[in-house]
Amino acid sequence: MPDDPLARAHELDRDDPIAGFRDRFMHADEETVYFDGNSLGRLPHATRDRLRTAVDEEWGAGLVRGWSRWIELARQAGDVLATGVLGVDPGEVVLADSTSVNLYKLAAAALDARPGRRAIVVESDNFPTDLYVLQGLAAARGLDLRVVPVGIDDGLTVADLDGVLDDDVALLCASHIAYRSGARTDLRAITARAHDAGALTLWDLSHAAGSVPTPLREAGADLAVGCTYKYLNGGPGAPAFLYVRAGLQAELRQPIWGWFGQRDQFAMGSSYEPVDGIERFVVGTPPVLGGYAALEGARITAEAGMAAIAAKGAALTGFALDLTDAWLAGHGFAVATPRDPARRGAHVTLHHPRAWQVTQALLAAAVVPDFRTPDRLRIGLAPLYTRFVDVYEGFARLRRIMETRAYSSFPAERSRVT
Amino acid sequence: MPDDPLARAHELDRDDPIAGFRDRFMHADEETVYFDGNSLGRLPHATRDRLRTAVDEEWGAGLVRGWSRWIELARQAGDVLATGVLGVDPGEVVLADSTSVNLYKLAAAALDARPGRRAIVVESDNFPTDLYVLQGLAAARGLDLRVVPVGIDDGLTVADLDGVLDDDVALLCASHIAYRSGARTDLRAITARAHDAGALTLWDLSHAAGSVPTPLREAGADLAVGCTYKYLNGGPGAPAFLYVRAGLQAELRQPIWGWFGQRDQFAMGSSYEPVDGIERFVVGTPPVLGGYAALEGARITAEAGMAAIAAKGAALTGFALDLTDAWLAGHGFAVATPRDPARRGAHVTLHHPRAWQVTQALLAAAVVPDFRTPDRLRIGLAPLYTRFVDVYEGFARLRRIMETRAYSSFPAERSRVT
């Protein structure tokens, strides 16, 4: 840490090649320091404008005729995500449903495609909904759910899989970025190990999409899901995405046979026959407003480019860790996030025994972080709109809270913030 | 039909107790006659305003803090639908996912609750996605899908069920209003017959919710789903609703175990344990923008009241049938919709061998109907904003198209309009 961290922050901002993207987003006040773009990304101006057009003109004036445009939206957004965010091919990604529903569809399809195999592998620290969805599938089918215990701040490593993957495993499901610690899993090595055992892989990219490169293509990864409301700035409850490797699509059939996955949909035929391609993983009428918001958010990320975004994410989190070491180590914080930037995403997580109280004190000081049970302060540094001076300012306020023990006046109860 | 149908239309509008509700909706131009509110309802002014607030203030300025409000939205809208639209109790309805996904969840839950029974009953003319979803479930579980052939304009009748319902039937699934003909099924009698056989009932209310009373409570109906973007004016792709009879909720477990159905969700526990109540049928993060639009739309319907809406729907469709008889019978049209207003919903469907061409000619004349394969012209008369003079004007333009054979210049190909 340099002697003058504020000067360093200004210098980093000056040299930031994507600094200009901050102006694409709404900033309602200059006082708030927003460290929770990994729960809900900011509102892009383009999205506000697009939604007004969609509501007033396309729905309000165009009425049902809007469907000639809306019917393409899920695939259109999917293609932007594929080529501009996830590094895969057009036709491998589509917008649909929620992350949980997509996880269910793809996991079920994968299990159906490996009928002789009786086990699913998942990491113990995967996001809760991933665990629940797989528990449900395992219970319904009488399968063995092998929960691999992982160091809670480490994410899944290849070594964790020793003795776990065998020829009874149909599917391995893991997160690319651990939602609590921010640890980045070695997607390529783990996919290779799963493939060696003949298993399919299903990646949850919710905290990765828009924060780090996702080497799906390089890994030959099979399946992925993720949400668009975090780093992709798609807004609250925006539809999720799903990815299915092109070569695998014809082999898979998802369990919810809906009319938006039907061949020649408006023939209204009486027997389900899924379309070719990624749309076979779509079910019902797609959400249009959330879909537009997801599309606009994805476009901005694609325009900035994942390489620049990831580089800035590494620098932002590095600066945050420097400030932690310099200012907070004496106040009972322990760093949960890996020190190696190649091993983390764009958020930094700090353990503190009074993390919930500290979170409340930060909110009162107009710093918006996130709390994750039981003792984690999660600091999301969304690269598209977070400045280094924001990191400086937020940590300066946190230091002051610790120095004055301002947190001690807040109650010790759990957050309902997602 | 009176000698002067235009005067009659004006008279009916003057006496319409809910005529004032038309002003709650956007009408971008006075020329368009909109007969497709049963595909996509109009935009309420309140919804436009609510969406601006949600986007600009709650998301844009409030950021993640908006979730303290949004987290209640699915249930809040569900309660409005329950008490103001569907005639059931608060806590029996929730907003979630798409109609197709909800149908899957509830059908699967019902089948799990009747494990010894090996058959599902569905009507042959049910909406395609309903057929597909049940086909998928039957295939996955090795169940017998009994497709009851129904007269294509009649909807399912009790007599159709003779010899079909036995003690092997776990579930009967049917639509309250047939999506093509508009025929209204006797929900009470059919539910009673299913219950006599020990089967559960799952109703698709997509064309019923907001157009006719749905006697779920009187029938003791078990399960229902429906969309909010038709008569409920929730906008394109707005989230669907699901209903589960209160006394049945604890017994049922849906197959997609997601974190929004989890007890003490933000404890992020590692084992799925569903909450008590209707929220156990929710899966992932709810769509907020579509959710707000569904809520506002439902509120307007609830305010007008289903009795007044249904009475106006019967009068509008009756007037349309009068005009059909007076003006169109000689032009090759045949009425598909039941003549008895108690046996139909709020749309009228006419067979015509050149229905697709006639649809195109109407669109060119600024009348927006819908086409349903193979030969149906579907005329939706959404009671909240359709005037009797609109019916007059739309039918007058249709008569002119037939008299001048203006339809013959349009190509004979299928619509992609949903």
Side-chain angles (χ1 to χ4, degrees):
Chain A
M1 174 56 57
D3 289 344
D4 186 348
L6 181 56
R8 175 72 182 142
H10 281 299
E11 183 179 61
L12 287 163
D13 281 325
R14 209 166 42 236
D15 295 342
D16 172 11
I18 57 171
F21 278 87
R22 183 174 189 274
D23 295 336
R24 304 287 191 93
F25 295 86
M26 177 168 168
H27 302 269
D29 67 282
E30 287 300 323
E31 193 204 353
T32 297
V33 175
Y34 194 55
F35 284 164
D36 208 8
N38 58 336
S39 273
L40 180 70
R42 280 190 180 274
L43 169 65
H45 296 305
T47 302
R48 187 199 50 208
D49 296 345
R50 165 63 76 175
L51 288 171
R52 288 197 178 191
T53 303
V55 172
D56 296 357
E57 294 174 27
E58 296 181 13
W59 174 16
L63 296 163
V64 74
R65 294 163 290 204
W67 274 111
S68 61
R69 184 173 309 188
W70 303 329
I71 200 112
E72 309 292 345
L73 194 49
R75 172 62 185 272
Q76 190 183 356
D79 284 350
V80 173
L81 288 166
T83 58
V85 179
L86 302 175
V88 296
D89 289 331
E92 293 190 310
V93 178
V94 72
L95 216 60
D97 299 311
S98 65
T99 307
S100 300
V101 169
N102 287 336
L103 200 91
Y104 176 86
K105 292 186 298 188
L106 296 191
L111 296 173
D112 286 342
R114 295 288 179 275
R117 292 168 174 249
R118 309 293 305 162
I120 305 169
V121 170
V122 65
E123 52 173 316
S124 59
D125 200 42
N126 210 340
F127 191 73
T129 212
D130 303 53
L131 292 171
Y132 305 154
V133 164
L134 298 174
Q135 284 165 12
L137 281 165
R141 293 160 181 247
L143 303 179
D144 177 21
L145 183 62
R146 299 183 187 168
V147 182
V148 181
V150 302
I152 202 155
D153 293 335
D154 302 334
L156 183 67
T157 66
V158 175
D160 293 327
L161 295 172
D162 287 344
V164 173
L165 290 170
D166 56 35
D167 62 8
D168 207 30
V169 175
L171 178 68
L172 178 146
C173 178
S175 287
H176 190 209
I177 305 285
Y179 81 102
R180 285 196 277 214
S181 69
R184 189 186 328 187
T185 296
D186 188 342
L187 191 151
R188 273 201 258 194
I190 289 170
T191 298
R193 279 290 289 272
H195 285 176
D196 285 347
L200 293 166
T201 51
L202 171 50
W203 289 97
D204 186 336
L205 305 178
S206 292
H207 281 272
S211 74
V212 298
T214 50
L216 297 168
R217 179 191 278 151
E218 298 80 349
D222 306 296
L223 308 163
V225 297
C227 72
T228 63
Y229 50 72
K230 298 179 184 292
Y231 293 105
L232 296 171
N233 306 299
F241 65 83
L242 63 84
Y243 154 84
V244 180
R245 179 165 54 77
L248 194 62
Q249 291 174 7
E251 189 188 335
L252 296 191
R253 223 173 185 198
Q254 57 92 356
I256 313 177
W257 297 5
W259 69 318
F260 268 75
Q262 166 76 352
R263 191 181 299 275
D264 203 2
Q265 175 185 6
F266 290 100
M268 302 274 186
S270 61
S271 289
Y272 181 72
E273 188 192 352
V275 291
D276 294 330
I278 195 72
E279 284 92 346
R280 63 168 49 200
F281 303 98
V282 176
V283 180
T285 308
V288 170
L289 301 183
Y292 268 132
L295 172 64
E296 292 300 331
R299 276 180 172 156
I300 297 172
T301 293
E303 186 185 339
M306 281 312 305
I309 288 171
K312 183 172 175 189
L316 286 165
T317 47
F319 187 55
L321 291 170
D322 288 346
L323 293 175
T324 301
D325 293 340
W327 291 349
L328 300 175
H331 291 289
F333 287 95
V335 174
T337 307
R339 294 280 178 175
D340 176 1
R343 287 269 296 117
R344 66 176 184 248
H347 72 268
V348 161
T349 299
L350 307 177
H351 290 281
H352 192 281
R354 290 174 178 257
W356 171 246
Q357 285 175 295
V358 173
T359 301
Q360 297 311 295
L362 282 166
L363 287 168
V367 180
V368 183
D370 206 347
F371 168 78
R372 277 296 173 258
T373 165
D375 69 343
R376 293 176 186 78
L377 179 65
R378 197 174 73 170
I379 295 163
L381 303 173
L384 275 177
Y385 49 73
T386 305
R387 297 171 302 193
F388 291 88
V389 294
D390 297 325
V391 180
Y392 174 88
E393 178 62 26
F395 274 76
R397 291 186 205 170
L398 173 55
R399 177 170 67 163
R400 182 155 182 79
I401 284 166
M402 301 315 296
E403 286 171 349
T404 60
R405 299 177 55 86
Y407 58 84
S408 59
S409 61
F410 291 90
E413 74 176 40
R414 208 175 60 238
S415 168
R416 295 197 64 186
V417 175
T418 56
Chain B
M1 173 57 57
D3 290 343
D4 185 349
L6 181 57
R8 175 71 182 143
H10 281 300
E11 184 180 59
L12 287 164
D13 282 325
R14 209 166 42 236
D15 296 342
D16 173 11
I18 57 170
F21 279 87
R22 182 173 189 273
D23 295 336
R24 305 286 191 94
F25 295 86
M26 178 167 168
H27 302 270
D29 67 281
E30 287 299 323
E31 193 203 353
T32 296
V33 176
Y34 194 55
F35 285 164
D36 208 6
N38 56 337
S39 273
L40 181 71
R42 280 189 181 275
L43 169 64
H45 296 304
T47 302
R48 186 199 50 207
D49 296 345
R50 165 62 76 176
L51 287 171
R52 288 197 179 191
T53 303
V55 172
D56 296 357
E57 295 175 27
E58 295 182 13
W59 173 17
L63 297 162
V64 74
R65 293 163 291 203
W67 273 111
S68 61
R69 184 173 310 189
W70 303 330
I71 200 111
E72 309 291 346
L73 194 49
R75 173 63 186 270
Q76 189 183 358
D79 284 350
V80 173
L81 288 166
T83 57
V85 179
L86 302 175
V88 296
D89 289 332
E92 293 191 311
V93 178
V94 73
L95 216 60
D97 298 313
S98 66
T99 308
S100 301
V101 169
N102 287 337
L103 200 91
Y104 176 85
K105 292 186 298 188
L106 296 192
L111 296 173
D112 286 342
R114 295 288 179 274
R117 291 168 174 248
R118 310 291 305 160
I120 305 169
V121 171
V122 66
E123 51 174 317
S124 60
D125 199 41
N126 210 342
F127 191 73
T129 212
D130 303 52
L131 292 171
Y132 305 155
V133 163
L134 298 175
Q135 284 166 11
L137 281 165
R141 293 160 181 247
L143 303 179
D144 177 21
L145 184 62
R146 299 183 187 168
V147 182
V148 181
V150 302
I152 202 155
D153 293 335
D154 302 333
L156 183 68
T157 65
V158 175
D160 293 325
L161 295 172
D162 287 343
V164 173
L165 291 170
D166 56 32
D167 62 8
D168 207 30
V169 175
L171 177 68
L172 178 147
C173 178
S175 287
H176 190 208
I177 305 285
Y179 80 103
R180 286 195 278 214
S181 69
R184 188 185 330 185
T185 296
D186 189 341
L187 191 152
R188 273 200 257 194
I190 288 170
T191 299
R193 280 292 288 271
H195 284 176
D196 285 347
L200 293 167
T201 51
L202 170 51
W203 289 97
D204 186 336
L205 305 178
S206 291
H207 281 272
S211 75
V212 297
T214 49
L216 298 168
R217 178 190 279 153
E218 298 80 350
D222 305 296
L223 307 164
V225 297
C227 72
T228 63
Y229 50 72
K230 298 179 184 293
Y231 294 104
L232 296 172
N233 306 300
F241 66 82
L242 62 83
Y243 153 84
V244 181
R245 180 165 54 77
L248 195 62
Q249 291 175 5
E251 191 188 336
L252 295 191
R253 227 177 179 192
Q254 57 92 358
I256 314 176
W257 297 4
W259 69 319
F260 269 74
Q262 166 75 354
R263 190 181 298 275
D264 202 4
Q265 176 185 5
F266 290 102
M268 302 275 186
S270 61
S271 289
Y272 181 71
E273 189 192 352
V275 291
D276 294 331
I278 194 72
E279 283 92 346
R280 64 168 46 200
F281 302 98
V282 176
V283 180
T285 308
V288 170
L289 301 184
Y292 268 131
L295 172 64
E296 291 300 331
R299 277 181 173 156
I300 297 172
T301 293
E303 185 184 339
M306 282 312 305
I309 289 172
K312 184 172 176 188
L316 286 164
T317 48
F319 187 56
L321 290 170
D322 288 346
L323 292 174
T324 300
D325 293 339
W327 291 350
L328 300 175
H331 291 288
F333 287 95
V335 174
T337 307
R339 294 280 177 174
D340 176 1
R343 287 268 297 117
R344 65 177 185 249
H347 72 268
V348 161
T349 299
L350 307 176
H351 290 282
H352 192 279
R354 292 173 178 258
W356 172 245
Q357 287 175 294
V358 173
T359 301
Q360 297 310 297
L362 281 167
L363 287 168
V367 179
V368 184
D370 206 348
F371 168 78
R372 278 296 174 258
T373 144
D375 70 343
R376 292 176 186 79
L377 179 64
R378 197 174 72 170
I379 295 162
L381 303 173
L384 276 177
Y385 49 74
T386 305
R387 297 170 301 193
F388 291 88
V389 293
D390 297 325
V391 179
Y392 174 88
E393 178 62 26
F395 275 75
R397 292 186 205 169
L398 174 54
R399 177 169 67 163
R400 182 155 182 78
I401 284 165
M402 302 316 296
E403 285 171 351
T404 61
R405 297 178 56 84
Y407 58 83
S408 59
S409 60
F410 291 90
E413 75 177 40
R414 208 176 59 238
S415 168
R416 295 196 64 186
V417 175
T418 57

